[in-house]
Amino acid sequence: MTVAPHFSFKNETLHAEDVPLTTLARELGTPLYVYSRKALHDAWGAYSEAAKGRDVLVCFGMKANSNLAVLSEFHKLGSGFDIVSGGELARVLAVGGDPGKVVFSGVGKQAWEMRDALQAGVKCFNVESEAELELLAHVAAQMNKVAPVSLRVNPDVDAHTHPYISTGLKENKFGIAIEDAPAVYQRAAQLKSLEVVGVDCHIGSQITEVDPYLDALEKLLDLIDTLAAAGTHIKHLDLGGGIGIRYTDETPLTPKMLLDAVFERLEARGLGHLQIVLEPGRSLVGNAGVLLTQVQYLKHTEAKNFAIVDAAMNDLLRPTLYDAWHSVEQVGQAAENRPADAKTYDVVGPICESGDWLARDRKLDVQQGDLLAIMSAGAYAFTMASQYNTRPRPAEVMVDGSNYHVVRPRETLKSLFADEKPLP
Ligand code: LLP
């Protein structure tokens, strides 16, 4: 069994759905991002089941994976989108996404991005500072439009996750401190080109327990009561993204656990009429992808054994950036069949940095030329990839049953510097 149910061993070969990863490597080369369409649908299903009969809008946090094939699948399933840039908005529009289901997050929205979003008609701007509120009001007034706004409130709760991806603490750059929020809402209510529609928060990522959400929820519900007493009535409550996935042995909370608990609290406080918005990224795509790579060389030194592969930190930054754990599967041998005396390896790439590693201290029984799958690479993998060391970014392929579709070709060397020019 692998951490990701849509990637499993059949005849001692790791498959994506019904396609052997060996076939994909042979036909498309490595490194290669491999996605499972069914995994996307099943992850969506967990949210839609949990939301059944309730007023819930799921807006895919598309920074996790913004390939148009992924976006169009979620769009067809009924998803909205959480965007953080004008570029992400352009992608949503390119797949025919519904701007009325788009929420616009981010601490540094620029005027052109506000204009594009107002023109498109997004559902809501999640505003993160007073300065942003003033600029948005100005831009909307110039366009003779009324901008729908939520304030992203910082509830000062600990999401118990990695400090780099924890966002709801006082010292983070995100949101407006909850004690300042009533005054900023009051200011928003005075501005004729703004309409207050919601309250928003996002407390972090790869969260595994429900409690941090409920801590934040209580504080937001108190705020909503305060606002109502002052005459501002909120239509929706956005709880952000953050549900974790299994990278190794985690058992994260499920969408159902979250929504059951949230609606119970809403009912108890007489706020059952509120629409709940969620912005999940990782939990919709993380375990729908792997990074397929080939062992170039083995190197045995006094201190360590290295498996030098053709993928690198530029293709998957998470290990070196967050010390993140990604499981490594041998495409030709399930872990349970590994010999007891298998050597321990660091899986590293060809980049000229000691930080260029993908996994450390893993028991592997590998030879030069073998294929490895770096698991859970559907989220924050391609979207955080770079061309460092002038390495073309790998292709992305979507498996669908026994078929596959290349949804982004491998970059060519020429394309990497096609727009650059030596001085005349
Ligand atoms: N909404 C907002 C406002 C966000 O900032 C994020 C993620 C999400 C939603 C989606 O969160 P998710 O459901 O994926 O946890 N690169 C890091 C994760 C950074 C998350 C940034 N914000 C990683 O690879 O772990």
Side-chain angles (χ1 to χ4, degrees):
M1 207 38 213
T2 69
V3 290
H6 300 84
F7 295 85
S8 60
F9 282 91
K10 297 170 198 171
N11 308 320
E12 262 310 278
T13 301
L14 188 59
H15 284 56
E17 300 190 24
D18 299 326
V19 178
L21 293 183
T22 43
T23 303
L24 294 176
R26 193 174 57 241
E27 295 181 4
L28 302 172
T30 55
L32 180 69
Y33 300 95
V34 183
Y35 306 133
S36 153
R37 180 173 186 235
K38 179 133 200 317
L40 301 179
H41 284 241
D42 287 356
W44 175 262
Y47 278 92
S48 66
E49 271 301 305
K52 223 175 225 162
R54 294 164 167 164
D55 189 4
V56 175
L57 176 64
V58 177
C59 295
F60 171 48
M62 61 181 279
K63 64 172 77 67
N65 189 325
S66 54
N67 186 288
L68 297 193
V70 172
L71 301 185
S72 76
E73 288 306 298
F74 286 133
H75 164 56
K76 284 183 273 179
L77 289 166
S79 185
F81 298 94
D82 166 46
I83 63 168
V84 290
S85 69
E88 288 192 344
L89 176 63
R91 285 180 180 271
V92 171
L93 299 178
V95 298
D98 176 0
K101 291 187 191 170
V102 168
V103 296
F104 192 173
S105 304
V107 289
K109 298 177 198 76
Q110 298 179 36
W112 71 268
E113 296 175 307
M114 293 173 173
R115 276 194 293 272
D116 283 4
L118 283 165
Q119 199 57 48
V122 299
K123 175 182 173 69
C124 188
F125 290 84
N126 291 337
V127 172
E128 302 218 18
S129 64
E130 281 187 76
E132 181 192 337
L133 192 75
E134 298 295 335
L135 179 63
L136 179 60
H138 177 70
V139 169
Q142 275 184 331
M143 294 174 73
N144 264 324
K145 293 205 181 267
V146 174
V149 296
S150 284
L151 296 189
R152 173 166 174 185
V153 169
N154 185 336
D156 193 26
V157 300
D158 186 353
H160 303 142
T161 182
H162 192 287
Y164 286 12
I165 51 177
S166 175
T167 47
L169 285 170
K170 260 206 170 98
E171 59 262 36
N172 296 133
K173 72 177 174 185
F174 298 102
I176 294 170
I178 191 145
E179 52 284 8
D180 300 338
V184 185
Y185 268 106
Q186 207 169 11
R187 174 67 185 144
Q190 289 164 356
L191 293 164
K192 295 213 164 31
S193 56
L194 301 182
E195 184 196 359
V196 171
V197 293
V199 170
D200 169 52
C201 75
H202 169 80
I203 55 175
S205 199
Q206 186 55 18
I207 298 169
T208 54
E209 307 151 26
V210 80
D211 291 354
Y213 284 101
L214 298 183
D215 293 348
L217 179 68
E218 282 309 316
K219 296 190 176 187
L220 296 185
L221 295 180
D222 290 345
L223 172 63
I224 289 172
D225 284 345
T226 306
L227 296 178
T232 300
H233 297 281
I234 296 298
K235 295 181 196 153
H236 75 249
L237 172 53
D238 183 339
L239 291 171
I243 293 186
I245 62 167
R246 171 168 289 187
Y247 284 100
T248 162
D249 56 2
E250 303 91 334
T251 313
L253 75 154
T254 61
K256 182 163 164 45
M257 284 160 67
L258 177 62
L259 286 176
D260 284 354
V262 165
F263 277 88
E264 193 185 302
R265 290 307 301 147
L266 290 183
E267 304 292 342
R269 298 195 46 163
L271 291 167
H273 61 279
L274 285 179
Q275 180 188 48
I276 293 293
V277 176
L278 298 177
E279 304 169 354
R282 187 190 322 265
S283 53
L284 283 173
V285 290
N287 272 329
V290 305
L291 176 59
L292 184 61
T293 183
Q294 187 177 39
V295 177
Q296 299 303 296
Y297 303 105
L298 297 179
K299 186 165 171 175
H300 306 282
T301 72
E302 211 179 314
K304 285 243 173 205
N305 300 309
F306 295 102
I308 303 169
V309 299
D310 59 6
M313 64 186 279
N314 70 304
D315 306 307
L316 183 66
L317 191 57
R318 303 192 71 260
T320 190
L321 187 58
Y322 311 120
D323 213 2
W325 170 287
H326 285 256
S327 289
V328 177
E329 294 287 346
Q330 290 184 218
V331 169
Q333 184 193 73
E336 57 266 28
N337 300 335
R338 204 139 303 155
D341 62 351
K343 289 196 173 66
T344 300
Y345 284 92
D346 280 10
V347 178
V348 302
I351 285 184
C352 307
E353 302 247 4
S354 298
D356 181 22
W357 57 276
L358 300 172
R360 282 177 165 160
D361 298 327
R362 307 300 171 90
K363 279 229 176 274
L364 295 170
D365 178 24
V366 277
Q367 304 296 325
Q368 201 166 333
D370 282 0
L371 293 171
L372 301 178
I374 314 295
M375 305 303 289
S376 313
Y380 304 112
F382 182 86
T383 52
M384 292 175 73
S386 76
Q387 297 153 329
Y388 187 37
N389 278 205
T390 305
R391 289 166 47 85
R393 283 179 296 181
E396 295 175 281
V397 62
M398 180 81 71
V399 169
D400 183 14
S402 51
N403 298 318
Y404 68 80
H405 306 274
V406 175
V407 294
R408 191 177 203 277
R410 188 176 304 283
E411 289 177 344
T412 60
L413 289 184
K414 234 180 160 175
S415 74
L416 294 188
F417 49 84
D419 296 331
E420 298 174 19
K421 277 194 197 78
L423 295 181

